[in-house]
């Protein structure tokens, strides 16, 4: 088995592509030092090997996880790919190799760094997604509901089913400014597409009035004597404030905005 310290896999950045890296490792009996997405930077002396994405190979690896490890491990790997855990690909790769050796008990092996970091990262992802279920604020543009979020993790796949069920008869879009992607629901279909930047049409006066009314409601129900900034930040972290109507300035309530990634 090759364990060259300079062997690095590169792949197309997709979940299927990562599973193909796992397949390649077993097929060629080699263990890469790292697995890099398209924007990854290999070391000066790394020997890079690009792994082509093959849907059949990826499916074979994916189907093997619940058989050789567990359904929980399969879900952990799928969600882990959406997280911001450092060296995400390598962490998932090592988790699977260990899981294929020890089976389902890997889920309780929290002393292992890869298992522990992956489970923590998935917990962070699901917690963030849960908060967005309550913190997403839609606005109406040309009879479509549009929301903008700036998550740390790639939460759109986790949010898709929730909002598709909640607004099943609506046309809506949730734009992820961080990952330059959008969740689009139309005619009962949901898809996630890449969007580099988003320019919204002129805000209608009716929508501007809805924003003012929501701010007024938010301020009215507040109890001044029970004002507790620390408690509020616990349940509504500042990370979410930028896209919450409650905290819009007067200009943001009315002015057309161009949403661009820096």
């Amino acid at each position: 088995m090759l364990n060259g310290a300079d062997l690095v896999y590169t792949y197309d950045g997709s979940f299927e592509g990562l599973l193909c890296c796992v397949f390649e490792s077993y097929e060629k009996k080699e263990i890469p030092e790292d697995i890099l997405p398209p924007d990854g930077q290999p070391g000066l002396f790394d020997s890079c090997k690009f792994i082509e994405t093959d849907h059949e190979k990826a499916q074979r690896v994916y189907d093997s996880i619940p058989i050789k490890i567990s359904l929980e491990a399969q879900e952990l790997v799928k969600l882990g790919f959406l997280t911001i855990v450092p060296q995400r690909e390598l962490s998932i790769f090592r988790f699977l190799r260990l899981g294929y050796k020890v089976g389902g008990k890997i889920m309780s092996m929290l002393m292992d760094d890869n298992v522990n970091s992956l489970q923590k990262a998935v917990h962070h992802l699901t917690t963030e997604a849960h908060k967005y279920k309550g913190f997403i604020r839609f606005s109406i543009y040309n009879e479509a509901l549009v929301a903008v979020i700036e998550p740390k993790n790639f939460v759109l796949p986790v949010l898709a089913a929730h909002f598709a069920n909640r607004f099943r008869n609506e046309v809506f879009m949730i734009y992820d400014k961080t990952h330059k992607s959008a969740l689009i629901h139309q005619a009962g279909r949901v898809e996630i597409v890449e969007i580099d930047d988003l320019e919204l049409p002129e805000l209608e006066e009716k929508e501007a009035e809805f924003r003012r009314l929501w701010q007024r409601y938010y301020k009215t129900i507040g109890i001044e004597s029970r004002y507790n900034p620390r408690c509020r930040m616990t349940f509504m972290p500042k990370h979410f404030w930028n896209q919450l109507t409650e905290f819009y300035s007067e200009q943001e309530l009315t002015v057309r905005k161009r949403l661009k990634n820096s």
Side-chain angles (χ1 to χ4, degrees):
M1 180 177 290
L2 297 177
N3 293 288
D6 61 350
L7 176 62
V8 171
Y9 283 174
T10 61
Y11 75 114
D12 64 2
S14 68
F15 180 58
E16 288 186 327
L18 176 59
L19 295 182
C20 288
C21 291
V22 177
F23 188 97
E24 180 78 8
S25 172
Y26 277 94
E27 184 180 52
K28 297 297 170 57
K29 295 182 172 57
E30 58 191 21
I31 300 178
E33 180 190 18
D34 205 352
I35 302 175
L36 300 177
D39 59 351
Q41 294 296 322
L44 182 61
F45 300 106
D46 287 341
S47 177
C48 293
K49 181 179 181 180
F50 181 76
I51 308 302
E52 295 281 352
T53 297
D54 183 302
H55 300 303
E56 184 179 344
K57 291 179 180 179
Q59 193 64 47
R60 286 175 61 182
V61 174
Y62 187 72
D63 291 342
S64 73
I65 300 173
I67 296 172
K68 296 185 177 181
I69 311 176
S70 68
L71 281 170
E72 292 78 11
Q74 187 185 56
E75 184 70 6
L76 185 72
V77 167
K78 184 171 65 175
L79 293 177
F81 188 74
L82 306 176
T83 69
I84 54 172
V85 62
Q87 291 187 294
R88 174 189 61 181
E89 291 84 359
L90 192 61
S91 182
I92 292 173
F93 172 81
R94 289 175 174 170
F95 172 84
L96 287 175
R97 288 197 65 95
L98 179 59
Y100 287 143
K101 289 181 181 179
V102 303
K105 68 179 182 181
I106 190 176
M107 298 300 293
S108 59
M109 295 174 61
L110 298 182
M111 293 299 291
D112 182 89
D113 289 341
N114 289 293
V115 178
N116 189 35
S117 64
L118 200 57
Q119 291 207 12
K120 284 183 177 179
V122 169
H123 176 72
H124 184 266
L125 164 77
T126 55
T127 299
E128 184 178 35
H130 177 73
K131 289 184 182 297
Y132 268 116
K133 290 177 182 178
F135 291 153
I136 283 182
R137 301 290 183 260
F138 286 98
S139 295
I140 300 176
Y141 292 93
N142 296 333
E143 300 183 357
L145 300 174
V146 179
V148 180
I149 60 176
E150 298 179 68
K152 296 179 180 178
N153 299 283
F154 188 44
V155 298
L156 290 184
V158 184
L159 297 174
H162 171 80
F163 284 101
N165 289 330
R166 186 176 178 185
F167 301 115
R168 61 183 62 192
N169 297 320
E170 302 288 345
V171 176
F172 69 80
M173 177 176 70
I174 302 174
Y175 176 58
D176 179 346
K177 190 176 178 181
T178 306
H179 301 92
K180 303 180 182 180
S181 300
L183 170 66
I184 299 174
H185 177 271
Q186 188 173 16
R189 294 183 57 189
V190 178
E191 62 177 327
I192 297 175
V193 299
E194 294 183 0
I195 300 179
D196 287 335
D197 59 73
L198 176 67
E199 184 175 1
L200 295 172
E202 194 76 26
L203 189 68
E204 297 177 5
E205 181 55 37
K206 185 177 181 180
E207 173 60 28
E209 182 60 24
F210 281 146
R211 292 184 179 187
R212 296 190 194 97
L213 288 171
W214 179 254
Q215 278 201 349
R216 193 180 308 163
Y217 169 76
Y218 179 77
K219 293 175 182 177
T220 300
I221 63 173
I223 302 173
E224 188 174 350
S225 60
R226 297 182 63 182
Y227 178 64
N228 187 332
R230 181 174 295 180
C231 181
R232 180 172 70 172
M233 282 191 288
T234 298
F235 293 98
M236 185 186 284
K238 270 194 169 183
H239 173 65
F240 299 90
W241 290 13
N242 190 44
Q243 302 298 341
L244 288 176
T245 314
E246 296 92 307
F247 303 107
Y248 279 1
S249 66
E250 178 60 29
Q251 184 181 26
E252 288 175 311
L253 289 176
T254 57
V255 175
R256 174 181 179 176
K257 296 173 65 183
R258 179 175 174 83
L259 302 169
K260 228 178 199 181
N261 290 280
S262 56

